[in-house]
Amino acid sequence: MEIIYRGRRLSVEKSVYLFPDGTERERVVIHPSHAVTILPVEGDVCYLIWQYRFAIDEYLFEAPAGTMDPGESPEATARRELQEETGLTAGRLIPHGFIYTTPGFTTEKLYLFEARDLSSPALQKLDDDEHIELLQLPVDEVRNMANDGRIHDAKTICLIHLCLG
C-alpha cells in the first residue's frame, strides 16, 4: 500500500489487491472522512438547500450534509451540520442507517437522518467555501422533484425515498 495523497478530509491509497480468483490488480481507493446527511421535515414542509458544487460547476438541490470531525458521533455531526447549513435545530433526529456512496473506489460511509420538531434559533454558519440558499418546499413537490429528475444528488434522493415514501 502506498499513500499517494493525504489531505485534511481524505487520503488516496494505491494498493495491489488479491481477488478471489487469485489474480492481482492495482487499485486506487479514496478514504474520506465519514459524513452525514439530514432531511429536515416539518408537517407538509421539507427544507432543502440549493448549493454550488465546484467539482461539477453546478448548483444542486440537496439535503444538508457534512463530514464528521474526528471523534464526533454521527448524531452530533447531524445536529451541527443542520444548524450550520440551515439555521435549524431538530427536536428529534431519526436515524435511517447508512449507505456507502460509491464503493467501487471509496470507503465513504454516509449516515442518514430525518430531522423533525424543527426550530430556528440561529442563522446559518456557512464555511467560507459554501454557497448555500435554504429552500422551504412542500413535501409533495420534493417527492416530485426526486421522481422527475430535478434532483440529481444521490444522497438526497435516497433520503427523500426513505423519509417521504
Side-chain angles (χ1 to χ4, degrees):
M1 173 186 72
E2 172 190 1
I3 300 294
I4 56 178
Y5 174 80
R6 185 177 309 276
R8 188 178 71 139
R9 295 193 184 244
L10 64 88
S11 64
V12 181
E13 151 195 310
K14 182 168 57 171
S15 297
V16 175
Y17 290 93
L18 181 63
F19 285 83
D21 66 1
T23 60
E24 290 184 349
R25 297 279 193 281
E26 187 175 275
R27 292 288 188 253
V28 172
V29 177
I30 300 170
H31 300 282
S33 301
H34 294 314
V36 303
T37 188
I38 314 103
L39 189 67
V41 182
E42 191 66 46
D44 63 351
V45 172
C46 186
Y47 294 86
L48 294 179
I49 58 176
W50 178 243
Q51 182 167 7
Y52 177 75
R53 291 300 192 174
F54 173 79
I56 59 171
D57 191 27
E58 288 183 30
Y59 279 86
L60 294 176
F61 293 107
E62 295 183 46
T67 57
M68 295 170 61
D69 290 335
E72 189 175 40
S73 72
E75 182 175 328
T77 304
R79 289 188 183 284
R80 176 177 53 77
E81 287 292 339
L82 179 65
Q83 194 279 316
E84 287 177 4
E85 293 193 355
T86 69
L88 299 169
T89 58
R92 289 185 301 142
L93 270 182
I94 304 162
H96 286 281
F98 69 88
I99 57 173
Y100 290 110
T101 59
T102 42
F105 66 87
T106 179
T107 58
E108 182 178 37
K109 185 185 278 190
L110 185 64
Y111 294 89
L112 309 170
F113 290 92
E114 179 179 350
R116 295 285 183 156
D117 301 331
L118 303 173
S119 59
S120 55
L123 297 174
Q124 292 171 303
K125 293 181 184 175
L126 301 178
D127 293 337
D128 60 1
D129 63 344
E130 291 180 315
H131 299 278
I132 293 174
E133 179 184 343
L134 181 62
L135 305 172
Q136 185 176 337
L137 301 163
V139 166
D140 289 340
E141 180 67 9
V142 171
R143 275 193 207 101
N144 290 338
M145 292 167 70
N147 290 326
D148 68 18
R150 284 179 281 165
I151 296 177
H152 302 281
D153 180 61
K155 69 183 181 304
T156 302
I157 294 169
C158 184
L159 260 181
I160 290 167
H161 288 296
L162 283 170
C163 300
L164 305 179

